[in-house]
């Protein structure tokens, strides 16, 4: 039975009062997902007899955009209330999920393959039936293969977009030629003391320290050299930024001339007319975001939802709203005119130019390295 007939049957049962209005499908941390999916979600509402949808994201301009473009129209169309909240990081998402295994949270928005590995290690994964998600055929193998490296026999998530943490620079002060010549080392160049920024994230700082010391980010041999590079950056930087909004403000107001930054946020600055360049140096930090179905969830219903999320019309709307390329393979799907202009976009569908974090390596060193970085931040 195709999806249209299935939903018509469910809708008829709903109208006849044969479905109980008791359950709801929770969506935790799905920043980037709700935009553009009012119709698919409305249909899922009948499948799940949903009374409300829970959304926990990162707040700020993202939540405002979602409320304006997705949540309110969705509620108006379906009568289903969208309850959204804000958590500051993946560990808080995980704590919320682990504290409630009664079906409150069904789909977790995860950022990075290391988050996927963390959820799997806590036994929260399920085995999705990919036959129920035919749009997975349109997704880049490079994204799904990263998950299969952790769970070779099954997938518990589907990718929905990707991006990079590359070099963002003000072209009024730094040329395209200079950024390509210096690469990651420009972030420890004394010439720009007081005009350098950086994200206050230990993974990002170590990743860039590896690049600055000529090492592989997934196999750092000389840790002392890497920590010294982080100290050099600390001493030259104006400040660490802690959010995408702060990143954009620092660049737009010319408080800093160069920093690493998230590709989608830089695209937003460019849309606003700021002459901010973006460059992914060799071994730039590539990452993806996915939707992870949590153990104990109504799996078949979640699979139907995920399939709609990956439908080109939905996935493209999400990508255009968030300024991050979708997980869809551009060699298989016409992605329109905007997406090919986004930073980090790969028209080949291979993502060979990007380097993704090895989850075993990074998760295995998280406790030690995060603690060391906290000390370095304080001046040690």
């Amino acid at each position: 039975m195709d999806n249209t007939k299935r939903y018509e049957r469910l809708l008829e049962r709903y109208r006849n009062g044969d479905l109980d209005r008791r359950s709801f499908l929770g969506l935790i941390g799905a920043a980037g997902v709700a935009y553009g999916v009012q119709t698919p979600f409305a249909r899922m509402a009948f499948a799940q007899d949903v009374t409300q949808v829970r959304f926990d994201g990162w707040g700020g301009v993202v939540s405002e955009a979602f409320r304006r473009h997705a949540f309110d129209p969705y509620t108006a169309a379906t009568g289903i209330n969208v309850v959204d909240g804000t958590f500051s990081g993946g560990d808080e998402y995980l704590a919320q999920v682990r504290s409630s295994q009664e079906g409150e949270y069904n789909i977790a928005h995860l950022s990075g393959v290391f988050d996927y590995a963390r959820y799997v290690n806590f036994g929260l994964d399920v085995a999705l039936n990919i036959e129920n998600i035919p749009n997975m055929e349109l997704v880049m193998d490079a994204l799904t293969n990263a998950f299969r490296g952790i769970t070779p026999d099954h997938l518990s998530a589907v990718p929905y977009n990707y991006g990079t943490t590359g070099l963002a620079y003000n072209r009024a002060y730094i040329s395209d030629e200079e950024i390509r010549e210096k690469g990651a080392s420009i972030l420890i160049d004394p010439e720009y003391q007081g005009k350098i920024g950086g994200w206050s994230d230990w993974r990002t700082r170590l990743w860039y320290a590896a690049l600055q010391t000529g090492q592989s980010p997934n196999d750092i041999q000389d840790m002392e050299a890497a920590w010294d590079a982080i100290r050099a950056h600390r001493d030259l930087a104006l400040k660490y930024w802690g959010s995408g909004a702060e990143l954009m403000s620092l660049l737009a107001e010319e408080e800093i001339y160069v920093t690493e930054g998230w590709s989608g946020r830089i695209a937003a600055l460019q849309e606003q007319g700021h002459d901010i360049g973006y460059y992914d140096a060799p071994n730039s930090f590539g990452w993806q975001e996915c939707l992870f179905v949590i153990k104990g969830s109504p799996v078949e219903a979640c699979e139907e939802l995920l399939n709609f999320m990956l439908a080109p019309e939905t996935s493209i709307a999400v990508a255009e709203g968030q300024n991050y390329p979708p997980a869809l393979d551009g060699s298989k799907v016409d992605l329109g005119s905007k997406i090919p202009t986004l930073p980090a976009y790969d028209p080949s569908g291979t993502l060979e130019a990007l380097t993704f974090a090895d989850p075993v390596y990074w998760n295995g060193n998280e406790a030690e390295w995060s603690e060391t970085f906290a000390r370095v931040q304080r001046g040690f």
Side-chain angles (χ1 to χ4, degrees):
M1 180 181 297
D2 63 30
N3 281 344
T4 300
K5 291 181 179 178
R6 181 182 294 111
Y7 290 126
E8 288 175 351
R9 188 184 69 178
L10 288 168
L11 178 57
E12 183 178 357
R13 290 178 60 200
Y14 175 82
R15 287 172 172 165
N16 291 338
D18 295 333
L19 291 178
D20 225 5
R21 294 187 64 84
R22 290 181 297 186
S23 61
F24 64 88
L25 182 66
L27 190 63
I28 180 171
V33 178
Y35 177 72
V37 299
Q38 296 92 327
T39 299
F41 233 148
R43 290 173 175 171
M44 278 303 304
F46 295 116
Q48 291 296 310
D49 198 25
V50 176
T51 59
Q52 68 177 21
V53 175
R54 181 179 175 86
F55 174 98
D56 290 309
W58 291 297
V61 296
V62 173
S63 288
E64 293 171 10
F66 273 57
R67 173 57 59 189
R68 183 171 66 254
H69 296 300
F71 298 160
D72 288 345
Y74 175 73
T75 300
T78 66
I80 300 166
N81 188 38
V82 179
V83 179
D84 57 329
T86 299
F87 291 123
S88 61
D91 289 340
E92 292 191 47
Y93 292 161
L94 181 57
Q96 291 287 324
V97 171
R98 294 184 71 198
S99 69
S100 175
Q101 283 294 285
E102 302 300 323
E104 181 178 357
Y105 302 118
N106 299 136
I107 300 176
H109 164 230
L110 304 185
S111 181
V113 180
F114 36 78
D115 278 346
Y116 181 90
R118 184 178 290 116
Y119 275 61
V120 168
N121 289 339
F122 279 114
L124 295 172
D125 57 312
V126 300
L128 296 177
N129 183 352
I130 302 304
E131 292 184 358
N132 291 338
I133 314 175
N135 285 324
M136 277 288 287
E137 295 181 0
L138 304 177
V139 173
M140 287 180 280
D141 289 338
L143 295 176
T144 54
N145 287 345
F147 297 143
R148 291 192 186 280
I150 300 166
T151 53
D153 298 328
H154 68 277
L155 289 176
S156 190
V158 299
Y160 80 90
N161 70 7
Y162 66 96
T164 57
T165 302
L167 294 168
Y169 56 100
N170 190 316
R171 286 197 175 101
Y173 305 97
I174 299 173
S175 68
D176 295 345
E177 293 73 22
E178 181 180 4
I179 203 75
R180 282 163 175 75
E181 176 186 348
K182 295 181 177 178
S185 294
I186 199 168
L187 296 178
I188 53 173
D189 188 337
E191 179 181 351
Y192 295 106
Q193 182 170 6
K195 290 298 183 178
I196 295 171
W199 187 21
S200 58
D201 167 64
W202 68 269
R203 289 187 186 90
T204 302
R205 296 272 54 85
L206 264 176
W207 191 281
Y208 267 85
L211 300 183
Q212 290 155 358
T213 55
Q215 303 187 71
S216 166
N218 284 320
D219 185 24
I220 304 173
Q221 295 293 314
D222 190 342
M223 287 302 303
E224 280 307 311
W227 290 120
D228 284 345
I230 290 175
R231 292 184 181 96
H233 174 267
R234 176 201 65 196
D235 295 341
L236 292 170
L238 172 68
K239 66 178 300 184
Y240 289 132
W241 48 268
S243 69
E246 187 178 15
L247 160 67
M248 293 175 68
S249 175
L250 288 169
L251 284 168
E253 299 299 326
E254 299 188 4
E255 292 184 62
I256 60 174
Y257 299 160
V258 64
T259 180
E260 79 282 337
W262 303 325
S263 55
R265 289 291 186 156
I266 305 310
L269 280 173
Q270 293 169 345
E271 284 183 342
Q272 293 170 10
H274 299 285
D275 193 15
I276 304 298
Y278 189 80
Y279 174 58
D280 279 319
N283 283 326
S284 272
F285 194 175
W287 43 264
Q288 61 167 297
E289 296 179 328
C290 70
L291 298 179
F292 185 102
V293 178
I294 297 170
K295 182 179 180 180
S297 301
V299 176
E300 289 187 6
C302 291
E303 289 166 345
E304 288 193 71
L305 173 58
L306 297 182
N307 192 54
F308 271 109
M309 293 295 186
L310 293 176
E313 62 273 19
T314 301
S315 189
I316 290 170
V318 171
E320 290 180 343
Q322 294 294 302
N323 285 319
Y324 290 109
L328 304 181
D329 188 335
S331 68
K332 299 178 181 178
V333 180
D334 182 357
L335 298 176
S337 60
K338 177 179 178 178
I339 290 170
T341 69
L342 295 176
Y345 173 69
D346 180 7
S348 73
T350 64
L351 301 180
E352 289 180 350
L354 304 184
T355 303
F356 294 93
D358 178 342
V360 175
Y361 181 69
W362 285 87
N363 285 350
N365 289 290
E366 178 175 7
E368 177 186 352
W369 290 353
S370 60
E371 181 180 343
T372 302
F373 177 66
R375 293 199 303 269
V376 171
Q377 271 189 302
R378 297 194 298 268
F380 296 101

